[in-house]
Amino acid sequence: MKRFLSTFGICLVLVELFLLFGGYQLFDFSRHAYLAGASVALVLSVLVSVLSSQDDRLEELEKRTKELEE
């Protein structure tokens, strides 16, 4: 959970910076710009967390495969 929250924080900062420097013009965030940015950051952080956990599982599988080959 700690890893997910740090990923969410990084994505939130990046999305808010994107919106601050003109990214809001691409989307219609007329009333709740920060809430929309937080929801986009949430989706991005979920995707990054899933990919990161798959990478960890792949590394563990490679280690187990090398141990079996020896």
Side-chain angles (χ1 to χ4, degrees):
M1 187 66 163
K2 183 178 178 183
R3 189 174 183 179
F4 173 75
L5 289 177
S6 65
T7 304
F8 176 69
I10 291 169
C11 287
L12 182 62
V13 168
L14 291 175
V15 167
E16 294 301 329
L17 284 174
F18 172 74
L19 291 175
L20 180 68
F21 291 114
Y24 66 91
Q25 294 174 352
L26 296 174
F27 308 105
D28 185 21
F29 296 145
S30 59
R31 293 187 182 188
H32 304 288
Y34 295 111
L35 182 60
S39 62
V40 170
L42 179 65
V43 171
L44 286 175
S45 62
V46 167
L47 291 173
V48 169
S49 294
V50 166
L51 291 174
S52 177
S53 67
Q54 285 182 347
D55 184 50
D56 292 342
R57 291 180 65 188
L58 182 63
E59 288 176 5
E60 289 177 15
L61 184 60
E62 287 175 351
K63 286 179 186 177
R64 288 177 55 195
T65 305
K66 283 186 180 183
E67 289 176 1
L68 289 173
E69 287 176 351
E70 294 176 352

Tab-separated table of all heavy atoms in Angstrom, residues 25-70:
chain	number	residue	atom	x	y	z
A	25	GLN	N	-6.388	23.015	-21.129
A	25	GLN	CA	-7.032	23.454	-22.359
A	25	GLN	C	-7.413	22.278	-23.254
A	25	GLN	O	-8.264	22.416	-24.126
A	25	GLN	CB	-6.121	24.415	-23.112
A	25	GLN	CG	-5.900	25.714	-22.366
A	25	GLN	CD	-4.890	26.615	-23.048
A	25	GLN	OE1	-4.253	26.204	-24.007
A	25	GLN	NE2	-4.741	27.822	-22.547
A	26	LEU	N	-6.794	21.131	-23.032
A	26	LEU	CA	-7.141	19.949	-23.820
A	26	LEU	C	-8.459	19.322	-23.376
A	26	LEU	O	-9.125	18.653	-24.150
A	26	LEU	CB	-6.030	18.900	-23.709
A	26	LEU	CG	-4.679	19.286	-24.286
A	26	LEU	CD1	-3.664	18.194	-23.967
A	26	LEU	CD2	-4.770	19.493	-25.776
A	27	PHE	N	-8.819	19.536	-22.132
A	27	PHE	CA	-10.022	18.939	-21.567
A	27	PHE	C	-10.921	20.039	-21.024
A	27	PHE	O	-10.484	21.149	-20.755
A	27	PHE	CB	-9.653	17.972	-20.435
A	27	PHE	CG	-8.628	16.970	-20.832
A	27	PHE	CD1	-7.317	17.104	-20.397
A	27	PHE	CD2	-8.946	15.898	-21.643
A	27	PHE	CE1	-6.357	16.184	-20.762
A	27	PHE	CE2	-7.990	14.975	-22.014
A	27	PHE	CZ	-6.695	15.119	-21.565
A	28	ASP	N	-12.184	19.725	-20.833
A	28	ASP	CA	-13.121	20.701	-20.285
A	28	ASP	C	-13.281	20.452	-18.787
A	28	ASP	O	-14.168	19.719	-18.355
A	28	ASP	CB	-14.470	20.605	-20.989
A	28	ASP	CG	-15.433	21.682	-20.531
A	28	ASP	OD1	-14.961	22.709	-20.003
A	28	ASP	OD2	-16.641	21.486	-20.717
A	29	PHE	N	-12.397	21.047	-17.998
A	29	PHE	CA	-12.457	20.928	-16.545
A	29	PHE	C	-12.926	22.266	-15.977
A	29	PHE	O	-12.226	22.946	-15.253
A	29	PHE	CB	-11.087	20.586	-15.963
A	29	PHE	CG	-10.553	19.251	-16.390
A	29	PHE	CD1	-9.207	19.080	-16.598
A	29	PHE	CD2	-11.389	18.163	-16.561
A	29	PHE	CE1	-8.697	17.853	-16.976
A	29	PHE	CE2	-10.890	16.940	-16.942
A	29	PHE	CZ	-9.544	16.781	-17.145
A	30	SER	N	-14.131	22.654	-16.321
A	30	SER	CA	-14.590	24.000	-15.988
A	30	SER	C	-14.802	24.215	-14.486
A	30	SER	O	-14.552	25.300	-13.992
A	30	SER	CB	-15.876	24.307	-16.743
A	30	SER	OG	-16.876	23.370	-16.414
A	31	ARG	N	-15.232	23.201	-13.758
A	31	ARG	CA	-15.554	23.423	-12.346
A	31	ARG	C	-14.614	22.710	-11.386
A	31	ARG	O	-14.263	23.244	-10.352
A	31	ARG	CB	-16.976	22.977	-12.053
A	31	ARG	CG	-17.998	23.831	-12.745
A	31	ARG	CD	-19.357	23.463	-12.308
A	31	ARG	NE	-20.348	24.272	-13.028
A	31	ARG	CZ	-21.591	24.276	-12.738
A	31	ARG	NH1	-22.049	23.525	-11.766
A	31	ARG	NH2	-22.427	25.028	-13.421
A	32	HIS	N	-14.236	21.507	-11.701
A	32	HIS	CA	-13.462	20.699	-10.754
A	32	HIS	C	-12.149	20.251	-11.389
A	32	HIS	O	-11.921	19.064	-11.620
A	32	HIS	CB	-14.263	19.480	-10.320
A	32	HIS	CG	-15.588	19.817	-9.724
A	32	HIS	ND1	-15.703	20.381	-8.477
A	32	HIS	CD2	-16.846	19.678	-10.198
A	32	HIS	CE1	-16.984	20.579	-8.209
A	32	HIS	NE2	-17.700	20.163	-9.244
A	33	ALA	N	-11.271	21.186	-11.634
A	33	ALA	CA	-10.012	20.876	-12.317
A	33	ALA	C	-9.137	19.964	-11.467
A	33	ALA	O	-8.549	19.008	-11.974
A	33	ALA	CB	-9.268	22.158	-12.653
A	34	TYR	N	-9.048	20.210	-10.177
A	34	TYR	CA	-8.166	19.407	-9.327
A	34	TYR	C	-8.740	18.009	-9.084
A	34	TYR	O	-8.007	17.036	-8.997
A	34	TYR	CB	-7.900	20.116	-8.008
A	34	TYR	CG	-7.133	21.396	-8.208
A	34	TYR	CD1	-7.724	22.617	-7.995
A	34	TYR	CD2	-5.823	21.361	-8.654
A	34	TYR	CE1	-7.024	23.793	-8.205
A	34	TYR	CE2	-5.107	22.523	-8.872
A	34	TYR	CZ	-5.715	23.734	-8.636
A	34	TYR	OH	-5.015	24.892	-8.857
A	35	LEU	N	-10.040	17.915	-8.996
A	35	LEU	CA	-10.671	16.613	-8.831
A	35	LEU	C	-10.486	15.766	-10.084
A	35	LEU	O	-10.203	14.570	-10.000
A	35	LEU	CB	-12.153	16.778	-8.513
A	35	LEU	CG	-12.939	15.493	-8.262
A	35	LEU	CD1	-12.351	14.736	-7.082
A	35	LEU	CD2	-14.392	15.813	-8.014
A	36	ALA	N	-10.606	16.382	-11.233
A	36	ALA	CA	-10.384	15.664	-12.489
A	36	ALA	C	-8.929	15.217	-12.593
A	36	ALA	O	-8.639	14.101	-13.009
A	36	ALA	CB	-10.759	16.554	-13.675
A	37	GLY	N	-8.006	16.069	-12.194
A	37	GLY	CA	-6.595	15.702	-12.202
A	37	GLY	C	-6.303	14.567	-11.249
A	37	GLY	O	-5.523	13.659	-11.559
A	38	ALA	N	-6.932	14.582	-10.084
A	38	ALA	CA	-6.729	13.504	-9.119
A	38	ALA	C	-7.287	12.183	-9.647
A	38	ALA	O	-6.691	11.124	-9.431
A	38	ALA	CB	-7.391	13.864	-7.793
A	39	SER	N	-8.410	12.225	-10.354
A	39	SER	CA	-8.967	10.983	-10.902
A	39	SER	C	-8.087	10.427	-12.018
A	39	SER	O	-7.898	9.218	-12.120
A	39	SER	CB	-10.399	11.200	-11.387
A	39	SER	OG	-10.415	12.145	-12.432
A	40	VAL	N	-7.528	11.309	-12.841
A	40	VAL	CA	-6.605	10.857	-13.886
A	40	VAL	C	-5.354	10.273	-13.247
A	40	VAL	O	-4.853	9.231	-13.667
A	40	VAL	CB	-6.263	12.017	-14.847
A	40	VAL	CG1	-5.132	11.637	-15.776
A	40	VAL	CG2	-7.487	12.420	-15.640
A	41	ALA	N	-4.850	10.918	-12.200
A	41	ALA	CA	-3.673	10.411	-11.496
A	41	ALA	C	-3.962	9.063	-10.845
A	41	ALA	O	-3.081	8.190	-10.804
A	41	ALA	CB	-3.213	11.416	-10.447
A	42	LEU	N	-5.173	8.873	-10.357
A	42	LEU	CA	-5.536	7.594	-9.756
A	42	LEU	C	-5.497	6.475	-10.795
A	42	LEU	O	-4.944	5.403	-10.547
A	42	LEU	CB	-6.925	7.680	-9.120
A	42	LEU	CG	-7.439	6.397	-8.474
A	42	LEU	CD1	-6.572	6.012	-7.294
A	42	LEU	CD2	-8.877	6.557	-8.052
A	43	VAL	N	-6.057	6.730	-11.958
A	43	VAL	CA	-6.042	5.718	-13.025
A	43	VAL	C	-4.606	5.414	-13.453
A	43	VAL	O	-4.225	4.251	-13.608
A	43	VAL	CB	-6.888	6.188	-14.225
A	43	VAL	CG1	-6.714	5.274	-15.412
A	43	VAL	CG2	-8.355	6.276	-13.836
A	44	LEU	N	-3.799	6.453	-13.618
A	44	LEU	CA	-2.403	6.244	-13.997
A	44	LEU	C	-1.642	5.467	-12.936
A	44	LEU	O	-0.844	4.581	-13.257
A	44	LEU	CB	-1.716	7.587	-14.243
A	44	LEU	CG	-2.072	8.318	-15.518
A	44	LEU	CD1	-1.401	9.680	-15.536
A	44	LEU	CD2	-1.667	7.513	-16.725
A	45	SER	N	-1.859	5.783	-11.669
A	45	SER	CA	-1.137	5.089	-10.616
A	45	SER	C	-1.556	3.630	-10.503
A	45	SER	O	-0.727	2.777	-10.186
A	45	SER	CB	-1.310	5.809	-9.285
A	45	SER	OG	-2.661	5.835	-8.908
A	46	VAL	N	-2.818	3.326	-10.769
A	46	VAL	CA	-3.247	1.925	-10.779
A	46	VAL	C	-2.536	1.166	-11.896
A	46	VAL	O	-2.021	0.060	-11.688
A	46	VAL	CB	-4.782	1.816	-10.921
A	46	VAL	CG1	-5.203	0.404	-11.243
A	46	VAL	CG2	-5.465	2.306	-9.664
A	47	LEU	N	-2.464	1.771	-13.076
A	47	LEU	CA	-1.774	1.120	-14.191
A	47	LEU	C	-0.291	0.920	-13.899
A	47	LEU	O	0.264	-0.154	-14.160
A	47	LEU	CB	-1.958	1.937	-15.469
A	47	LEU	CG	-3.358	1.953	-16.051
A	47	LEU	CD1	-3.421	2.933	-17.218
A	47	LEU	CD2	-3.783	0.583	-16.491
A	48	VAL	N	0.351	1.935	-13.347
A	48	VAL	CA	1.772	1.825	-13.026
A	48	VAL	C	2.002	0.768	-11.954
A	48	VAL	O	2.955	-0.016	-12.035
A	48	VAL	CB	2.330	3.200	-12.583
A	48	VAL	CG1	3.709	3.066	-11.987
A	48	VAL	CG2	2.354	4.155	-13.758
A	49	SER	N	1.132	0.710	-10.956
A	49	SER	CA	1.278	-0.284	-9.893
A	49	SER	C	1.108	-1.704	-10.419
A	49	SER	O	1.841	-2.611	-10.031
A	49	SER	CB	0.265	-0.031	-8.788
A	49	SER	OG	0.540	1.182	-8.154
A	50	VAL	N	0.158	-1.886	-11.310
A	50	VAL	CA	-0.051	-3.225	-11.890
A	50	VAL	C	1.167	-3.640	-12.709
A	50	VAL	O	1.660	-4.774	-12.576
A	50	VAL	CB	-1.335	-3.245	-12.754
A	50	VAL	CG1	-1.396	-4.488	-13.615
A	50	VAL	CG2	-2.559	-3.139	-11.872
A	51	LEU	N	1.680	-2.742	-13.529
A	51	LEU	CA	2.858	-3.061	-14.328
A	51	LEU	C	4.079	-3.304	-13.452
A	51	LEU	O	4.890	-4.185	-13.735
A	51	LEU	CB	3.129	-1.951	-15.336
A	51	LEU	CG	2.104	-1.821	-16.456
A	51	LEU	CD1	2.409	-0.595	-17.301
A	51	LEU	CD2	2.080	-3.064	-17.313
A	52	SER	N	4.207	-2.550	-12.379
A	52	SER	CA	5.335	-2.720	-11.470
A	52	SER	C	5.261	-4.065	-10.751
A	52	SER	O	6.277	-4.747	-10.597
A	52	SER	CB	5.354	-1.584	-10.453
A	52	SER	OG	6.380	-1.763	-9.532
A	53	SER	N	4.084	-4.450	-10.320
A	53	SER	CA	3.955	-5.744	-9.642
A	53	SER	C	4.196	-6.897	-10.608
A	53	SER	O	4.771	-7.923	-10.231
A	53	SER	CB	2.585	-5.878	-8.986
A	53	SER	OG	1.569	-5.949	-9.956
A	54	GLN	N	3.792	-6.747	-11.857
A	54	GLN	CA	4.077	-7.784	-12.846
A	54	GLN	C	5.575	-7.889	-13.101
A	54	GLN	O	6.091	-8.988	-13.276
A	54	GLN	CB	3.352	-7.495	-14.148
A	54	GLN	CG	1.881	-7.786	-14.093
A	54	GLN	CD	1.202	-7.542	-15.427
A	54	GLN	OE1	1.772	-6.938	-16.329
A	54	GLN	NE2	-0.030	-8.009	-15.547
A	55	ASP	N	6.265	-6.770	-13.099
A	55	ASP	CA	7.711	-6.787	-13.278
A	55	ASP	C	8.388	-7.500	-12.110
A	55	ASP	O	9.313	-8.294	-12.309
A	55	ASP	CB	8.238	-5.359	-13.406
A	55	ASP	CG	9.724	-5.323	-13.696
A	55	ASP	OD1	10.155	-6.037	-14.631
A	55	ASP	OD2	10.446	-4.579	-12.997
A	56	ASP	N	7.922	-7.248	-10.891
A	56	ASP	CA	8.480	-7.927	-9.720
A	56	ASP	C	8.247	-9.432	-9.803
A	56	ASP	O	9.148	-10.231	-9.498
A	56	ASP	CB	7.859	-7.383	-8.437
A	56	ASP	CG	8.269	-5.956	-8.161
A	56	ASP	OD1	9.277	-5.495	-8.750
A	56	ASP	OD2	7.576	-5.297	-7.354
A	57	ARG	N	7.058	-9.831	-10.208
A	57	ARG	CA	6.756	-11.259	-10.322
A	57	ARG	C	7.601	-11.910	-11.410
A	57	ARG	O	8.039	-13.052	-11.261
A	57	ARG	CB	5.273	-11.463	-10.610
A	57	ARG	CG	4.402	-11.084	-9.427
A	57	ARG	CD	2.954	-11.286	-9.717
A	57	ARG	NE	2.676	-12.700	-9.923
A	57	ARG	CZ	1.519	-13.170	-10.342
A	57	ARG	NH1	0.533	-12.344	-10.603
A	57	ARG	NH2	1.344	-14.455	-10.503
A	58	LEU	N	7.853	-11.193	-12.497
A	58	LEU	CA	8.679	-11.729	-13.574
A	58	LEU	C	10.117	-11.922	-13.106
A	58	LEU	O	10.745	-12.937	-13.421
A	58	LEU	CB	8.629	-10.799	-14.780
A	58	LEU	CG	9.398	-11.246	-16.014
A	58	LEU	CD1	8.830	-12.542	-16.560
A	58	LEU	CD2	9.385	-10.174	-17.062
A	59	GLU	N	10.637	-10.978	-12.344
A	59	GLU	CA	12.003	-11.115	-11.813
A	59	GLU	C	12.101	-12.305	-10.871
A	59	GLU	O	13.095	-13.045	-10.908
A	59	GLU	CB	12.415	-9.829	-11.097
A	59	GLU	CG	12.692	-8.680	-12.028
A	59	GLU	CD	12.992	-7.394	-11.289
A	59	GLU	OE1	13.068	-7.418	-10.040
A	59	GLU	OE2	13.161	-6.361	-11.960
A	60	GLU	N	11.104	-12.511	-10.019
A	60	GLU	CA	11.100	-13.666	-9.123
A	60	GLU	C	11.054	-14.968	-9.916
A	60	GLU	O	11.735	-15.942	-9.581
A	60	GLU	CB	9.912	-13.592	-8.173
A	60	GLU	CG	10.026	-12.514	-7.131
A	60	GLU	CD	8.792	-12.440	-6.261
A	60	GLU	OE1	7.968	-13.381	-6.273
A	60	GLU	OE2	8.647	-11.416	-5.560
A	61	LEU	N	10.271	-14.990	-10.974
A	61	LEU	CA	10.174	-16.178	-11.808
A	61	LEU	C	11.501	-16.470	-12.508
A	61	LEU	O	11.912	-17.631	-12.616
A	61	LEU	CB	9.057	-16.014	-12.832
A	61	LEU	CG	8.746	-17.212	-13.724
A	61	LEU	CD1	8.331	-18.404	-12.881
A	61	LEU	CD2	7.675	-16.840	-14.718
A	62	GLU	N	12.187	-15.428	-12.957
A	62	GLU	CA	13.490	-15.620	-13.577
A	62	GLU	C	14.500	-16.177	-12.591
A	62	GLU	O	15.304	-17.062	-12.920
A	62	GLU	CB	14.004	-14.300	-14.150
A	62	GLU	CG	13.296	-13.859	-15.399
A	62	GLU	CD	13.742	-12.483	-15.881
A	62	GLU	OE1	14.490	-11.804	-15.148
A	62	GLU	OE2	13.332	-12.106	-16.973
A	63	LYS	N	14.471	-15.706	-11.350
A	63	LYS	CA	15.368	-16.231	-10.314
A	63	LYS	C	15.086	-17.710	-10.056
A	63	LYS	O	16.010	-18.515	-9.938
A	63	LYS	CB	15.207	-15.438	-9.020
A	63	LYS	CG	15.811	-14.071	-9.057
A	63	LYS	CD	15.590	-13.351	-7.746
A	63	LYS	CE	16.057	-11.909	-7.812
A	63	LYS	NZ	15.767	-11.191	-6.555
A	64	ARG	N	13.818	-18.054	-9.963
A	64	ARG	CA	13.453	-19.456	-9.711
A	64	ARG	C	13.867	-20.330	-10.892
A	64	ARG	O	14.316	-21.470	-10.699
A	64	ARG	CB	11.948	-19.579	-9.466
A	64	ARG	CG	11.538	-19.006	-8.127
A	64	ARG	CD	10.065	-19.070	-7.916
A	64	ARG	NE	9.527	-20.410	-8.058
A	64	ARG	CZ	8.242	-20.691	-8.199
A	64	ARG	NH1	7.351	-19.698	-8.188
A	64	ARG	NH2	7.824	-21.915	-8.328
A	65	THR	N	13.733	-19.821	-12.096
A	65	THR	CA	14.130	-20.588	-13.275
A	65	THR	C	15.635	-20.822	-13.298
A	65	THR	O	16.102	-21.920	-13.590
A	65	THR	CB	13.706	-19.852	-14.560
A	65	THR	OG1	12.312	-19.595	-14.511
A	65	THR	CG2	14.020	-20.668	-15.796
A	66	LYS	N	16.426	-19.805	-12.947
A	66	LYS	CA	17.865	-19.961	-12.896
A	66	LYS	C	18.283	-20.964	-11.832
A	66	LYS	O	19.206	-21.741	-12.017
A	66	LYS	CB	18.546	-18.614	-12.628
A	66	LYS	CG	18.581	-17.744	-13.852
A	66	LYS	CD	19.376	-16.481	-13.603
A	66	LYS	CE	19.401	-15.630	-14.855
A	66	LYS	NZ	20.221	-14.433	-14.689
A	67	GLU	N	17.593	-20.957	-10.666
A	67	GLU	CA	17.894	-21.913	-9.615
A	67	GLU	C	17.593	-23.339	-10.074
A	67	GLU	O	18.337	-24.276	-9.757
A	67	GLU	CB	17.094	-21.599	-8.356
A	67	GLU	CG	17.551	-20.366	-7.632
A	67	GLU	CD	16.669	-20.036	-6.455
A	67	GLU	OE1	15.704	-20.785	-6.177
A	67	GLU	OE2	16.941	-19.008	-5.803
A	68	LEU	N	16.529	-23.527	-10.815
A	68	LEU	CA	16.174	-24.851	-11.307
A	68	LEU	C	17.137	-25.330	-12.380
A	68	LEU	O	17.377	-26.532	-12.509
A	68	LEU	CB	14.743	-24.868	-11.835
A	68	LEU	CG	13.647	-24.772	-10.781
A	68	LEU	CD1	12.293	-24.638	-11.460
A	68	LEU	CD2	13.667	-25.971	-9.869
A	69	GLU	N	17.699	-24.421	-13.171
A	69	GLU	CA	18.621	-24.802	-14.220
A	69	GLU	C	19.964	-25.256	-13.648
A	69	GLU	O	20.663	-26.032	-14.270
A	69	GLU	CB	18.846	-23.629	-15.184
A	69	GLU	CG	17.661	-23.373	-16.088
A	69	GLU	CD	17.874	-22.144	-16.974
A	69	GLU	OE1	18.853	-21.406	-16.762
A	69	GLU	OE2	17.057	-21.947	-17.888
A	70	GLU	N	20.317	-24.762	-12.480
A	70	GLU	CA	21.609	-25.113	-11.887
A	70	GLU	C	21.600	-26.430	-11.221
A	70	GLU	O	21.150	-27.355	-11.160
A	70	GLU	CB	22.011	-24.075	-10.843
A	70	GLU	CG	22.272	-22.739	-11.465
A	70	GLU	CD	22.568	-21.686	-10.420
A	70	GLU	OE1	22.425	-21.966	-9.218
A	70	GLU	OE2	22.934	-20.588	-10.796
